[in-house]
Amino acid sequence: MKIKQITPETVEFIPDRIEEGVLYISDRYHTAVHKCCCGCGKEVVTPLSPAEWSVKRNSNRVSLWPSIGNWSYPCRSHYVIQDSRVIEAKAMTNRQIQRVKANDRADKAAQIRRTNHAKEVAAIVSKPNAQITPTHKWKPSMNWLQHLIRWWKSL
Ligand SMILES: [Zn+2]
């Protein structure tokens, strides 16, 4: 790793000129950008979301999790940013890369499902005439329970 230290910089928009050794974090766009720490100069964009990356800032130190795997770049570098230090991670084999990608897709699909569900709920709630009362929650009635008991006894 050519770059061993990285400092966080909070920005609204990702600047045109990205400096090496700086992790630009845009809370507004839920994105962080930095130049590949191997020194190849490629820009690495990491979306910040529960299914992607998360940043932890502590004054002028930063951690980014999970690891950065630049499989699609010629350098194929793999590292972790922890407490502003760039820690080289093990190089991955093609098979491992495929597995990581498959897991990523599954994670994303799960997040999209959760998001869509939240949207559906929000759509219902925002309808002015929607009747959202506790009675909408499924609650077995006495009648229903009696049926169940009768059925149970008949077995
Ligand atoms: Zn690189």
Side-chain angles (χ1 to χ4, degrees):
M1 288 297 138
K2 195 185 149 204
I3 295 143
K4 302 204 184 296
Q5 287 274 331
I6 197 156
T7 46
E9 199 178 312
T10 306
V11 290
E12 189 177 357
F13 302 100
I14 302 298
D16 292 333
R17 266 181 69 101
I18 303 282
E19 305 230 352
E20 283 190 337
V22 181
L23 181 72
Y24 298 88
I25 303 158
S26 169
D27 287 325
R28 184 171 169 172
Y29 294 101
H30 309 282
T31 303
V33 177
H34 72 282
K35 271 202 173 174
C36 180
C37 292
C38 86
C40 70
K42 292 269 189 194
E43 282 174 18
V44 181
V45 179
T46 46
L48 307 174
S49 82
E52 286 156 310
W53 280 270
S54 57
V55 283
K56 226 166 84 186
R57 268 169 289 186
N58 185 0
S59 63
N60 61 341
R61 288 170 181 275
V62 68
S63 299
L64 189 65
W65 188 259
S67 66
I68 313 289
N70 295 322
W71 332 126
S72 42
Y73 294 156
C75 67
R76 288 196 155 198
S77 58
H78 183 206
Y79 49 88
V80 180
I81 296 172
Q82 198 180 46
D83 213 20
S84 273
R85 281 174 304 143
V86 181
I87 303 158
E88 192 163 0
K90 249 169 65 180
M92 282 201 176
T93 62
N94 278 338
R95 229 175 114 184
Q96 284 171 317
I97 291 168
Q98 291 309 318
R99 210 178 315 151
V100 168
K101 282 185 179 169
N103 283 343
D104 281 356
R105 275 196 294 272
D107 282 355
K108 265 189 202 164
Q111 202 211 359
I112 289 163
R113 276 199 298 277
R114 280 198 297 274
T115 310
N116 285 346
H117 177 70
K119 273 187 201 150
E120 279 164 24
V121 172
I124 295 165
V125 173
S126 63
K127 272 183 200 155
N129 298 325
Q131 302 254 324
I132 297 173
T133 56
T135 54
H136 272 242
K137 281 185 187 159
W138 186 79
K139 215 164 135 193
S141 65
M142 216 38 219
N143 207 13
W144 187 89
L145 270 178
Q146 278 157 2
H147 275 296
L148 185 71
I149 291 161
R150 211 173 298 154
W151 170 79
W152 188 258
K153 282 182 178 164
S154 71
L155 289 178

